[in-house]
Amino acid sequence: MIDDPDSDEDFLIDEDDGPVPQCAARAAWKLLVVDDEPDVFAITKIVLADFSFAGAALEIIPAYSRSEAEAYLLQHDDVAVLLLDVVMEETDAGLRLVEFVRVTLGNKLVRIVLRTGQPGYAPEKEVILRYDINDYKEKTELTTQKLFTTVVASLRAYQHLLDLERQRAGLAQIVHANQGLARHQELDEFGKGALAFMVALLNAGGGELRRREGQGSTALAHQGDLPESAIDAIDAWDGLTLRWVDGLVLAPIPSRTDSPVFVCLGGVSSVDDGDRVLFGILAEAVGAGWDSVLLLGRLQDAQKAIVYALARMAEFRDAGTGEHVRRVERMVRAMALKLRVHDDYACLRDEAFVEQLVLASVLHDVGKVGVPDAILNKPGALDGGEKRQMQAHVAIGAEILAEAAGMVPGMNYIALAAEIAANHHESADGSGYPGRKTLDQIPVSARIVSVADVYDALVSKRPYKEGWPREKAIAWLREMAGQRFDPRAVEALAAVIGESSFPTEGQHRSEAVNC
């Protein structure tokens, strides 16, 4: 368990555990020797035969022309040092290679040491001022000791630049984490995004998210399932410590919720002090985001619960409504996925809008709270006056929901529900109510809900009729397409019913819906 979730300092480092161990070091530093004299390469290889720096050997690669060096550099971006002759197949071949590296390739990391046997072709002062090189040596002055010193200095500078570049990238990841992770509203999506940032920061190997809910904790891993040793370490966690467990980096994410979160990263080559500091900052950002996603999820669940309660309250007075609104909700979601291919249904390509639409559809009949029980529960057909009172539920629902929507700025699911309530009994040919709108005047939301609503009423059993078979209901909807309904919405429902697991006729409970 996490002992002090409010601690800011050194939360990834436990002083009692000693330094965090390092994984395997770099295999070798690459030194590219570009010179048209084979003896130069041979001598360099002999002089630096036993060279080692920061625990890694030196890999010496020959290139005997500018074109050969360019071909190699195009394929390898990890060359640390370039020992470069000026005069080769051309008098300025070396200088042209410098421009290729710095300008064409955009490689600012490799350290370039220009060495020449003909300094007259490339005077030191002019070359240093004009070209982005890091050292200039005449071949006659490169003794064994000076060559060794030059390579060490170049590698040290290269290593420092790599560290700076990695830290810059890490800081960029932290900024992106604060901006990008906030867009994820589901825990799994947030977890994937958080792992991606941490993997990039620590240069970990590739993999996929594995989320494990443990004994009061959550673990996120990016390389397969968590080993038992890591699970045991999490379950017995006793401090805020970044640890190595069987070659994996295991670390807590500071969370203010009651569920500790851990990340498990594999394929990490090394972790130094700078990495731990940046990882700590990123972990703080991820922890805050994780808490926000959890709280947002709970808030959304609470909103849904209230919506379902309102819809159930409207249904409760209707003797046989059963689970009508929940079935309509399922059909609306499936239809939206079918209809998004049409340009005038392009709004359905927005996942957030679809979620609002699905939730709003539940409230399409909330206006029935204003309809007398005797009309709602009448076992037979309604007369003219009763039908007008039943139709009034559209205006009642729209008024209730529009007033509530006015308390929330912008388009939201309550405003969408008001739109649906006001329009789901309009007809494509203008014969519907209450506004006698034609198809192009009926909002997309209401076109979809009206088809799902009527279909469910047709296949559901009522006190005065049996439910229709699916095929008969779909055939009638198609007959009414263009008159009452949008033909595309009808076909979307037909496709959904044909491939999904919605309840068959006879499984519906009795429902007294007067359309």
Side-chain angles (χ1 to χ4, degrees), residues 32 49 73 99 105 161-162 177 252 285 298 307 412 424 429 485 490:
L32 182 61
L73 290 165
E99 289 189 344
L105 296 183
L161 285 174
L162 279 182
R298 292 170 185 172
V307 168
N412 54 76
H424 75 289
D429 62 0
F485 310 111
V490 171

Side-chain angles (χ1 to χ4, degrees), residues 50 63 104 146 189 229 363 399 410:
D50 298 325
T104 304
K146 286 189 175 181
E189 288 301 314
S229 56
L363 295 172
E399 181 180 350

